[in-house]
Every structure is written in structure tokens, then in C-alpha cells.
């Protein structure tokens, strides 16, 4: 999903205050590019049993990942319920219940539009490798949403970018946002406590408490396939002799004052899982504050 950073920037500008749910695991898309995105899966039954068990260990903001437990999914979500725009990213070609906007990865194909819904065809990404995604939304909101997306695309556009949008019919419109190589891949600065992780504590603005933990795993989200420089920043103590893992395989990490630095090559078919481990437990008072990733 090389277009994910571009789509996230477009959505954030077009829909201020947007509440988003990324139901695209195991790959995902909006996590980690759209701040505040809740992660989950649209089709838990299709997951490999080991994969489903792994995702079942993760929590985000104190809650389990979406799509794995219908009872937990039905619990109140004030941020979602209060938002004017509630967007769900999914691989299934049907509106997500409760969402005002559903973004279907890869498009809806030959699936007919549900009664009362419209569709905006989004073509975005590198101009030599565009990606299609379809936005399903109530027909009455199509015109206003297209206007907002067109304005956001024009505001984002840099040299060589190709923005454009038009109404195709009463129920259908299109919008394109194409960029020259290497595409739109900005740096990332992620609050550690906002990412899905497998610790019992939720963490907060001061970071993710690691005091005494033998290991922690974090679900980073979808990263375009390129070499990334990853920096982890801690507070409360030095991380000490921590081992760093990517999808369970140990990778070299260089200690720096207050942190660790490593180079990673993310997988292309699933969101990478980053692991930290200490033989005798993390130092007292240690908190993981941020993850920074630069291509």
C-alpha cells in the first residue's frame, strides 16, 4: 500500500476531526499514517489461526483490536460516535456499519452500489503505479465530500503532482491524486502508547510503561517497501541491554543516549511487529515515548 501515506494526508485535510478505523489487518493501511486510527480486521475468520491468536494479544488505548470480539466491538466508543466523519478502511466491498464513509481497498469491482449510497473512485499514489480505492458514502453526502476532497488535493499538491476530480453521475464521482516518483513517503513520529501493543498497561501521554517487562511487542502498521531508519526514544531510564526484533527475528540495534536506532526492511504482505526484550526485565521507571521512522 504505497499510497497509504498520501491517502491519509488527503483524508486528514479534507475531514478535520475524522475518526478512523483501519480494518485492513494483517496488512492495514491507515495505521500508522492517520493519527488516532483504531486497528482491526474486517474478516477475522479468514485469518490464519496463529495470526488471529497473535492479534488477540494486542490492545490499543486499553481495548482489544476491532473485529476479533463482537461483544468488545459493541462497547461505547465516544470518539467514534461523536465524530461527524467516521471512516472505516476495509477490504470488503460493502459499507461498514456505523461508518459514514467506507473506503474499500482495491475498489468494489462489480459489486452493485447499495440503495441510498454513492461512490467516489479514488485513484492515488505514484503516477507510474496508481492504486484504486472506492469510497462508499450516503448519496446525499457525495457532492459535499467530493468538494472537500478536491480542495484538499489541490492544497496538498506539490510540483509535478496531478490532482483532479469530477462528478460522473448522481451517485458516482472520481478523484485522482498522482505524484511523481518516489511518491509521498513522509517521516513518521509515533507516540508509542497510541500503537497496538501486548502489555497489560495502556500507557498515556508520558509514554508506555516498561518497568520490569521481559518483552513487549508493538504493531507498527503499514510501511511502504523501502529501507527505514527506526529510532526508539525512552524516558525515565536508559533502555540498557535491550534486544530488538522484527517479526520475531532479531535485528541489529545501536544504542544512543535515551534510545535505540536500527535499520529495518518492512514486509510487503503484513504489518510488521516490532519486539523489545530484556533478559532480566526492563530497567525500573523505563518508558517508551516515541518511535520515529525515516525512509
Amino acid at each position: 500500500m504505497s499510497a497509504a501515506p498520501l491517502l491519509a494526508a488527503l483524508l486528514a485535510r479534507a475531514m478535520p476531526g475524522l475518526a478512523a478505523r483501519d480494518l485492513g489487518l494483517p496488512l492495514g493501511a491507515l495505521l500508522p499514517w492517520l493519527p488516532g486510527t483504531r486497528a482491526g480486521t474486517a474478516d477475522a475468520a479468514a485469518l490464519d489461526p496463529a495470526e488471529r491468536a497473535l492479534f488477540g494479544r494486542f490492545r490499543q488505548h486499553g481495548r482489544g483490536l476491532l473485529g476479533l470480539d463482537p461483544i468488545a466491538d459493541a462497547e461505547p466508543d465516544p470518539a467514534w460516535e461523536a465524530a461527524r466523519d467516521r471512516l472505516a478502511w476495509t477490504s470488503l466491498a460493502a459499507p461498514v456499519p456505523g461508518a459514514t464513509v467506507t473506503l474499500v481497498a482495491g475498489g468494489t469491482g462489480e459489486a452493485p452500489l447499495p440503495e441510498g449510497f454513492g461512490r467516489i473512485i479514488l485513484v492515488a499514489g505514484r503516477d507510474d503505479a496508481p492504486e484504486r480505492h472506492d469510497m462508499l458514502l450516503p448519496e446525499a453526502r457525495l457532492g459535499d465530500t467530493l468538494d472537500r476532497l478536491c480542495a484538499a488535493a489541490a492544497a496538498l499538491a506539490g510540483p509535478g503532482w496531478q490532482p483532479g476530480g469530477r462528478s460522473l453521475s448522481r451517485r458516482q464521482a472520481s478523484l485522482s491524486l498522482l505524484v511523481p516518483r518516489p511518491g509521498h513517503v513522509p517521516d513518521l513520529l509515533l507516540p508509542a502508547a497510541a500503537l497496538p501493543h501486548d502489555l497489560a498497561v495502556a500507557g498515556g501521554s508520558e509514554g508506555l510503561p516498561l518497568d520490569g517487562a521481559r518483552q513487549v511487542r508493538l504493531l507498527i502498521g503499514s510501511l511502504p517497501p523501502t529501507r527505514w531508519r527506526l529510532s526508539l526514544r525512552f524516558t525515565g531510564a536508559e533502555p540498557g541491554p535491550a534486544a530488538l526484533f522484527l517479526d520475531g527475528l532479531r535485528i541489529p540495534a545501536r544504542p544512543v543516549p535515551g534510545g535505540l536506532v536500527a535499520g529495518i526492511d518492512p514486509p510487503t504482505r503484513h504489518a510488521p511487529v516490532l519486539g523489545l526484550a530484556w533478559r532480566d526485565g526492563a530497567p525500573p521507571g523505563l518508558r517508551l515515548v516515541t518511535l520515529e521512522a525515516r525512509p
Side-chain angles (χ1 to χ4, degrees):
M1 256 303 300
S2 60
L6 182 62
L7 286 173
L10 177 69
L11 294 168
R13 185 175 286 268
M15 303 176 182
L18 170 70
R21 293 181 170 183
D22 183 344
L23 305 179
L25 291 177
L27 176 58
L30 299 183
L31 182 79
W33 301 100
L34 196 58
T37 296
R38 284 191 65 188
T41 181
D43 190 3
L47 296 175
D48 177 272
E51 204 166 43
R52 179 169 179 165
L54 173 65
F55 290 144
R57 299 188 183 101
F58 284 94
R59 300 186 67 77
Q60 188 179 17
H61 304 299
R63 300 169 178 238
L65 301 190
L66 292 161
L68 300 175
D69 183 344
I71 296 176
D73 289 351
E75 293 178 356
D77 185 342
W80 174 260
E81 293 159 4
R84 175 195 176 191
D85 296 301
R86 301 185 299 274
L87 183 140
W89 173 278
T90 179
S91 58
L92 305 181
V96 172
T100 60
V101 178
T102 297
L103 197 54
V104 180
T108 53
E110 300 300 320
L113 276 173
E115 187 66 29
F117 278 79
R119 171 171 51 208
I120 299 176
I121 300 169
L122 294 177
V123 180
R126 273 189 3 213
D127 54 12
D128 63 337
E131 299 175 12
R132 172 177 169 169
H133 308 283
D134 285 1
M135 181 179 283
L136 303 178
L137 69 171
E139 183 182 333
R141 298 189 62 182
L142 188 145
D144 172 67
T145 302
L146 177 64
D147 289 344
R148 289 193 283 159
L149 288 170
C150 287
L156 281 173
W161 291 36
Q162 302 172 45
R166 63 192 181 108
S167 176
L168 303 175
S169 70
R170 181 174 55 87
R171 301 181 68 193
Q172 188 157 282
S174 67
L175 182 129
S176 62
L177 185 55
L178 302 177
V179 302
R181 298 185 69 176
H184 180 72
V185 188
D187 297 344
L188 277 169
L189 183 62
L190 308 172
L195 291 174
H197 59 81
D198 63 353
L199 291 178
V201 294
S205 60
E206 296 182 351
L208 188 61
L210 300 174
D211 189 342
R214 296 287 298 257
Q215 66 176 27
V216 58
R217 286 177 291 193
L218 300 106
L219 190 62
I220 301 177
S222 175
L223 297 177
T226 188
R227 183 74 169 173
W228 291 82
R229 182 181 186 272
L230 184 67
S231 299
L232 290 77
R233 297 296 173 185
F234 300 85
T235 190
E238 290 293 326
L244 193 63
F245 297 85
L246 189 69
D247 289 344
L249 298 178
R250 187 164 183 174
I251 57 176
R254 176 171 56 88
V256 296
L260 295 171
V261 175
I264 64 171
D265 295 292
T268 58
R269 296 187 178 182
H270 63 267
V273 175
L274 187 72
L276 279 164
W278 293 263
R279 183 182 299 275
D280 300 315
L286 185 68
R287 288 174 176 266
L288 178 60
V289 181
T290 59
L291 281 75
E292 182 180 9
R294 294 184 177 184

